[in-house]
Amino acid sequence: MTEPNGVVIEYGVSDWQIFQQRTDGTADIELGGRWGGAEGEVEIRLVREDDSQVPAIHLDWRKAQTRPDGQWSAVLKDVPAGGLYRLETHLRTDPGGPPEWQMHGDMRHFLGVGDLWVIAGQSNSAGYGRGACWDPPELGVHLLNNAMRWTLACQPLNESTGTVHPENRENANSGHGPWLHFARLLKRELNVPVGLLQVSLGGSPFVSWNPTEPGDHPLYELMMRVHKAVGGRIRGILWYQGESDTDPDEKTDSYEDRFVAGVSAWRRAMGQPELPILTVQLGHWTGPAGQGTDDRWTRLREAQRRVPKRLPGVTVTPTLDFTLTDGIHVSPGSNMLLAQRMANAALALVHGRKVHYLAPEAVEARAAEDRCSIELRFANVAGKLGTISSSAVPFRVEDQQGEVEIKGIGMWADRVRLDLGRKLTASARVHGGYGIDPAPVPCDMDRVMPMLSFHNLPVT
């Protein structure tokens, strides 16, 4: 190895790196490397990239620890949230001389202290939207890519050039996803940089992520390696998955319990018992539908709807108003809308902002006295329920005699009325947003927020 001339940074900090801030809005940066070429002291400092001013007095030129074997190390304590920063080093060979004329040292550029978000799940999380969309890179929104290098985040995020992650190598080029815009929105609201950690994989079943199930868990292990590589602390996980668990029945019916167990295992392994998990409810699939497929997709969406009621710190966002690029992948335009909804969920859940983020959710179904209609009551309606198609029937009603025809639908305030083709018998229940490709569902029209799909809501 060539002997160094001055100061060389070998570990701890890379260009474009984002460090997770603590609850007090600061982070520590540990780094080190080699030094040599002359007798002297290794010194380091941190300055703002835009004006070369130190963000705090204690981050101005300070000595690092040096060893006779040519190694050095240092910890920059309590770096304030923000940036972008530049890290400078030099070898002080003239104790009384000005800093700018000391022996050269390495620099690192475009560093930030802010929030780190893991991107996990399958293809709609990896990003498979196709087509043009204005979603540009932005300084302060950075990506730890699949080559394990920090860089400016840009589409596609799950790109595999130079990857050291065979676990999530895609079989085709990925495309547009929602998370770049999500990060941009958070950066603008919170005024701190955002780092994205991409570990998702198209087509991945939940068992690949869940260490509590029998079998191999390569994507869970990848997520843990990345979590450790960035310092063992993140802000949260962005999760969009479930399509691969809609068959067979056993996987669908066990999804809720398996997901609760998996999230609990993630939190334990990461040492973050309250780690936020922002999830997305399954959207549309244009088929072909096989026997029982419609019901399985609706049951899996129901499992996703119920998880936040069992686990604190988990949210679920609807997608049933989205357009598709192909038969199953969200289009770039709808990805931008998903980004907005997920950013609002993060602002509310993680940062305590008073913003609307909860989707309309059916909480009660009551039959009329003549049992020829059902009134559904919804929570989380800020304005009034409406629809883009007055003839659409996104609901399904069943009782002891089987399916009950829905002859008409009315909506007002937070209510939906289903007019039926016959009287209900016993054990009636309603499903909403039913099937692999549901008809247009009611939305909170003031927010353009569709309802969450639901399954087996009992009629009282």
Side-chain angles (χ1 to χ4, degrees):
M1 181 180 294
T2 304
E3 289 300 315
N5 182 23
V7 181
V8 177
I9 300 173
E10 293 185 313
Y11 65 87
V13 61
S14 303
D15 291 343
W16 304 102
Q17 187 166 354
I18 305 297
F19 297 87
Q20 177 59 51
Q21 63 178 322
R22 296 182 292 250
T23 55
D24 67 353
T26 68
D28 296 342
I29 299 178
E30 300 183 27
L31 67 157
R34 296 178 296 125
W35 68 280
E39 290 297 320
E41 296 281 354
V42 174
E43 293 184 338
I44 63 175
R45 74 167 181 170
L46 196 73
V47 299
R48 290 193 293 263
E49 196 77 79
D50 55 7
D51 63 6
S52 297
Q53 296 294 312
V54 293
I57 293 174
H58 71 281
L59 299 173
D60 208 346
W61 289 113
R62 45 157 298 181
K63 291 181 180 179
Q65 293 183 337
T66 55
R67 300 203 306 265
D69 62 0
Q71 299 293 309
W72 68 272
S73 62
V75 180
L76 291 171
K77 292 275 192 182
D78 301 325
V79 178
L84 297 173
Y85 298 126
R86 179 173 70 249
L87 178 76
E88 300 180 351
T89 71
H90 64 215
L91 185 64
R92 180 173 284 278
T93 57
D94 179 3
E100 62 268 24
W101 295 113
Q102 305 303 320
M103 185 174 285
H104 172 269
D106 284 352
M107 296 186 184
R108 293 292 183 265
H109 292 272
F110 309 122
L111 310 177
V113 173
D115 286 337
L116 300 177
W117 288 90
V118 166
I119 299 170
Q122 54 184 113
S123 55
N124 275 315
S125 197
Y128 264 69
R130 307 295 179 183
C133 180
W134 179 254
D135 192 12
E138 182 172 308
L139 286 173
V141 177
H142 303 171
L143 171 72
L144 182 63
N145 65 19
N146 287 325
M148 287 297 282
R149 297 189 183 98
W150 280 99
T151 184
L152 184 67
C154 59
Q155 302 285 2
L157 296 178
N158 202 32
E159 201 269 316
S160 293
T161 299
T163 184
V164 295
H165 296 165
E167 299 91 341
N168 75 326
R169 182 193 292 272
E170 300 284 354
N171 290 325
N173 288 337
S174 55
H176 185 272
W179 310 124
L180 175 58
H181 190 46
F182 164 87
R184 184 190 301 113
L185 292 170
L186 285 190
K187 173 180 172 284
R188 292 179 184 179
E189 284 292 323
L190 302 171
N191 199 31
V192 297
V194 177
L196 298 172
L197 317 172
Q198 171 65 269
V199 297
S200 57
L201 175 64
S204 55
F206 188 62
V207 65
S208 298
W209 300 92
N210 183 12
T212 70
E213 295 186 54
D216 297 327
H217 318 108
L219 296 172
Y220 163 77
E221 293 166 3
L222 171 61
M223 184 164 63
M224 292 303 114
R225 289 203 309 272
V226 170
H227 179 265
K228 181 179 180 181
V230 298
R233 191 162 190 85
I234 58 175
R235 176 58 72 193
I237 295 176
L238 303 167
W239 179 261
Y240 193 164
Q241 190 273 341
E243 295 93 339
S244 293
D245 286 76
T246 57
D247 189 34
D249 284 327
E250 292 77 14
K251 288 173 67 176
T252 304
D253 292 335
S254 64
Y255 188 86
E256 179 184 344
D257 288 337
R258 290 188 294 124
F259 191 74
V260 168
V263 168
S264 300
W266 300 345
R267 288 170 164 174
R268 286 194 301 272
M270 292 180 179
Q272 295 183 245
E274 299 178 350
L275 182 70
I277 315 289
L278 310 186
T279 76
V280 183
Q281 195 178 52
L282 290 190
H284 292 267
W285 178 39
T286 58
Q291 184 177 5
T293 303
D294 279 327
D295 205 60
R296 284 196 297 271
W297 273 64
T298 314
R299 291 187 342 247
L300 196 133
R301 292 192 195 103
E302 170 69 7
Q304 294 172 323
R305 185 186 72 87
R306 288 198 302 254
V307 165
K309 304 180 188 311
R310 295 180 56 181
L311 282 176
V314 178
T315 67
V316 58
T317 296
T319 61
L320 288 180
D321 59 337
F322 286 177
T323 58
L324 302 178
T325 286
D326 47 38
I328 198 167
H329 295 120
V330 177
S331 70
S334 288
N335 274 328
M336 301 295 276
L337 183 55
L338 176 58
Q340 178 70 69
R341 291 174 184 170
M342 295 291 274
N344 282 341
L347 290 171
L349 178 70
V350 180
H351 299 282
R353 297 288 183 90
K354 302 299 183 182
V355 295
H356 287 298
Y357 77 101
L358 295 171
E361 187 170 1
V363 293
E364 183 182 37
R366 299 186 67 87
E369 287 189 17
D370 62 5
R371 302 188 67 78
C372 288
S373 67
I374 297 171
E375 183 177 291
L376 299 172
R377 182 173 63 85
F378 286 76
N380 309 322
V381 179
K384 64 178 180 179
L385 293 175
T387 179
I388 62 170
S389 175
S390 59
S391 62
V393 182
F395 300 96
R396 181 182 175 94
V397 177
E398 297 173 340
D399 63 11
Q400 280 187 332
Q401 294 182 14
E403 185 176 359
V404 183
E405 179 188 10
I406 300 174
K407 301 195 71 172
I409 298 178
M411 301 180 194
W412 71 101
D414 61 350
R415 308 299 168 102
V416 172
R417 187 188 68 253
L418 307 179
D419 296 323
L420 308 176
R422 63 171 172 82
K423 287 188 176 183
L424 291 171
T425 61
S427 302
R429 56 200 183 276
V430 184
H431 318 300
Y434 185 82
I436 62 171
D437 188 20
V441 300
C443 293
D444 184 351
M445 300 304 284
D446 285 13
R447 298 186 290 147
V448 195
M449 176 74 84
M451 73 175 201
L452 289 168
S453 174
F454 61 93
H455 186 268
N456 257 7
L457 180 65
V459 179
T460 60

